[in-house]
Amino acid sequence: MALLIKGGEIITADSRTRADIFIEHETITSIGLDFYPPPGTEIIDATGKLVFPGFIDPHVHIHLPFMATFAKDTHATASKAALIGGTTTFIEMCCPSRNEDALDGYNTWKQKAEGHSFCDYAFHMAVTRYDAATEAQLREIVRDGTTSFKVFLAYKNFFGVTDEELFNSLTLAAELGVITTAHCENAELIGQLQQALLAEGKTGPEWHEPSRPEAVEAEGTARFATFLEQTGATGYVVHLSCAPALRAAVEAKLRGVKLHIESVVPHFLLDKTYAEREGIEGMKHVMSPPLRDKRNQPALWSALQAGLIDTVGTDHCPFDLEQKLLGTNAFTQIPNGIPGIEDRVNLMYTYGVKRGVLDIHRFVDALSTRPAKLFGLFPRKGTIAVGADADLVVYDPEYRGTISVATQHTNNDYNGFDGFYIEGRPTHVTVRGKVQVRNGVFVGEPGRGHLIRREPQCNIGAHHAG
Ligand code: URP
Ligand code: ZN
Ligand code: ZN
């Protein structure tokens, strides 16, 4: 059935137009005024609403075996939460551990998602070991359309790679033209600092941040940039949290390193005092890199507005309270992660756009267009244009509400943003032309979401700059 979204104000990364959008067979076929739609066309009245391209979350964890447990969401629960919040595509980290076979892991992740996601999705393939067999498998995974890698410089002996493996992964990535995303913290320093703190009897969640100080993240970021420079690969720092790491990344950008930056919602809005709360309240807010001193936030907001921070993701990673309590006797055992897939758009709209610190077009760019461009989804996704997938968000800027664990859709018993006031939310959300959220209520069709296969997006050909 055809769909007409009528009377809204279309906002993209670079334009603002009052026009109607006509959709047939999953794609946008016309944008204009005074349509006479064929009988049977479904009409959504968007008068007084904004119409955004479907938002893309470039960093989520759904199936995740990690820290002796598993993250809580399924692809059904996470994608439902995503859609309610206006996210129509997510990119999940496919993270087999170092002891697992990369291709087996990739197939497991694909099977977990297939037929269960309500929205579209893709994967970043984690390289957690590098040897000849893994290299052959990575080539096959890229041929299958998963054209971005993930490396961890933290989590030694589990997800973490050695410098030699990092070099080899980036060399392969440069040859294949795929972008490499990276968790940048110095694993060795973290291990040493953790042991020293525990030996002093410092076991509570408030010690998580001191065990991974800002300098440890800045070192990881600078090292990643150096390895990109020497291999000619293109990189993307995930969840950059603080001013020293930002300086290291921007310094690299300025000297021509092909490096992009993601920050995630918790680092813009929460700070380390949340993790310093007593017991389980603090544990809820343990993630890595940790929530930082609040003085870092103005730098993150202004770098985002300036486009130096390219994208905003969530690092959605839900562990419930029982799981968080695994770390009762040692902060090193608290499963790292905070959920957020449902709330990213509303929080960044409220605390960025409405507060006047983030231009509305940069908001669309950082949360949709630039993730689409960096990860090979554009122009199919990330914009509103004839020929693009009809992934659309009709957004009510007059809505007023409060984030609450009682009304959330993600499969978890807490919300790190519980009680945050929001000014705006999606009323209607479509995935390739099918309405999945209507009047703020989930009406999704199970299995609507597809794996989006992508082409390599970086310059092809290895190049050694050093
Ligand atoms: O604390 C976090 N970020 N948990 C998820 C794993 C990761 O490092 O992204
Ligand atoms: Zn990470
Ligand atoms: Zn993550």
Side-chain angles (χ1 to χ4, degrees):
M1 186 170 65
L3 177 68
L4 181 67
I5 299 181
K6 202 172 164 45
E9 193 171 3
I10 301 171
I11 314 272
T12 68
D14 53 16
S15 67
R16 185 173 199 129
T17 336
R18 201 169 286 283
D20 304 339
I21 303 172
F22 188 59
I23 295 141
E24 294 165 292
H25 311 299
E26 306 202 345
T27 57
I28 298 171
T29 51
S30 316
I31 301 172
L33 290 171
D34 303 324
F35 282 108
Y36 294 95
T41 300
E42 179 179 354
I43 299 180
I44 295 173
D45 181 4
T47 309
K49 310 284 195 302
L50 308 174
V51 185
F52 294 123
F55 292 97
I56 298 170
D57 192 335
H59 184 166
V60 311
H61 301 275
I62 299 172
H63 174 60
L64 183 68
F66 183 45
M67 299 190 74
T69 188
F70 289 83
K72 288 298 289 187
D73 265 322
T74 63
H75 289 81
T77 58
S79 60
K80 186 173 177 180
L83 284 165
I84 282 282
T87 291
T88 54
T89 305
F90 59 77
I91 312 183
E92 182 184 1
M93 300 292 174
C94 171
C95 295
S97 81
R98 194 173 171 75
N99 302 322
E100 287 173 78
D101 187 77
L103 193 55
D104 283 352
Y106 181 60
N107 288 329
T108 300
W109 259 260
K110 281 207 304 187
Q111 277 160 17
K112 294 260 174 206
E114 197 172 344
H116 298 292
S117 182
F118 290 99
C119 67
D120 285 346
Y121 58 93
F123 297 107
H124 298 303
M125 183 64 213
V127 183
T128 52
R129 182 180 73 217
Y130 199 94
D131 52 29
T134 307
E135 180 187 317
Q137 294 180 344
L138 291 169
R139 289 178 186 277
E140 190 175 334
I141 290 164
V142 170
R143 277 196 298 274
D144 191 49
T146 287
T147 58
S148 44
F149 290 162
K150 169 74 182 283
V151 290
F152 292 90
L153 309 193
Y155 309 132
K156 190 175 173 184
N157 297 329
F158 190 68
F159 291 145
V161 286
T162 63
D163 280 358
E164 183 182 351
E165 290 170 318
L166 175 63
F167 183 85
N168 289 331
S169 308
L170 292 177
T171 302
L172 178 68
E175 181 201 324
L176 298 178
V178 305
I179 187 168
T180 301
T181 69
H183 175 135
C184 298
E185 290 182 296
N186 184 306
E188 196 57 53
L189 280 169
I190 293 166
Q192 296 298 328
L193 292 172
Q194 286 177 332
Q195 292 322 309
L197 288 163
L198 291 177
E200 290 169 27
K202 295 172 173 167
T203 58
E206 69 275 26
W207 297 105
H208 177 68
E209 200 279 340
S211 76
R212 319 169 86 100
E214 293 171 13
V216 161
E217 186 185 346
E219 190 282 336
T221 307
R223 181 156 41 96
F224 180 53
T226 304
F227 276 67
L228 292 172
E229 199 167 17
Q230 299 305 317
T231 56
T234 300
Y236 174 99
V237 184
V238 298
H239 52 37
L240 182 140
S241 74
C242 61
L246 179 63
R247 271 195 293 277
V250 171
E251 207 281 322
K253 277 186 188 247
L254 291 177
R255 65 176 198 270
V257 180
K258 291 178 281 181
L259 177 62
H260 304 277
I261 305 173
E262 169 200 274
S263 291
V264 296
V265 182
H267 293 126
F268 286 101
L269 296 178
L270 306 173
D271 61 71
K272 67 176 185 172
T273 62
Y274 285 81
E276 288 167 357
R277 293 174 179 177
E278 200 59 39
I280 189 69
E281 285 306 312
M283 293 177 187
K284 287 178 183 176
H285 294 97
V286 166
M287 66 174 292
S288 295
L291 298 179
R292 298 298 190 189
D293 191 302
K294 208 173 177 52
R295 68 179 163 68
N296 287 286
Q297 289 175 355
L300 296 188
W301 281 108
S302 50
L304 176 62
Q305 171 55 29
L308 291 169
I309 291 176
D310 294 87
T311 66
V312 177
T314 55
D315 197 6
H316 176 77
C317 191
F319 294 106
D320 68 14
L321 298 179
E322 192 184 335
Q323 291 172 307
K324 289 283 182 182
L325 286 169
L326 292 169
T328 302
N329 298 323
F331 67 86
T332 50
Q333 308 299 316
I334 304 169
N336 287 199
I338 301 178
I341 200 167
E342 188 161 351
D343 302 312
R344 175 183 67 134
V345 172
N346 295 335
L347 286 168
M348 294 308 287
Y349 182 78
T350 303
Y351 294 92
V353 177
K354 282 280 178 117
R355 295 287 180 276
V357 292
L358 184 61
D359 167 75
I360 196 163
H361 301 290
R362 181 80 261 281
F363 161 76
V364 174
D365 189 36
L367 276 72
S368 179
T369 312
R370 217 176 280 199
K373 287 183 173 171
L374 288 171
F375 297 116
L377 296 164
F378 190 86
R380 183 173 171 188
K381 302 200 182 282
T383 194
I384 298 178
V386 171
D389 281 359
D391 296 348
L392 296 162
V393 177
V394 178
Y395 199 80
D396 180 4
E398 302 306 326
Y399 175 84
R400 298 291 179 268
T402 303
I403 291 176
S404 165
V405 66
T407 52
Q408 73 182 4
H409 296 77
T410 185
N411 184 31
N412 206 0
D413 54 5
Y414 85 96
N415 184 315
F417 302 96
D418 204 38
F420 270 65
Y421 180 63
I422 49 168
E423 299 181 7
R425 71 157 186 182
T427 61
H428 292 74
V429 181
T430 66
V431 174
R432 284 176 283 101
K434 176 90 176 54
V435 179
Q436 299 284 81
V437 174
R438 185 177 280 114
N439 295 318
V441 176
F442 186 74
V443 293
E445 173 188 304
R448 176 72 185 166
H450 292 165
L451 170 63
I452 305 296
R453 291 190 159 78
R454 300 168 288 140
E455 293 295 321
Q457 56 289 97
C458 312
N459 296 336
I460 306 289
H463 144 79
H464 292 268

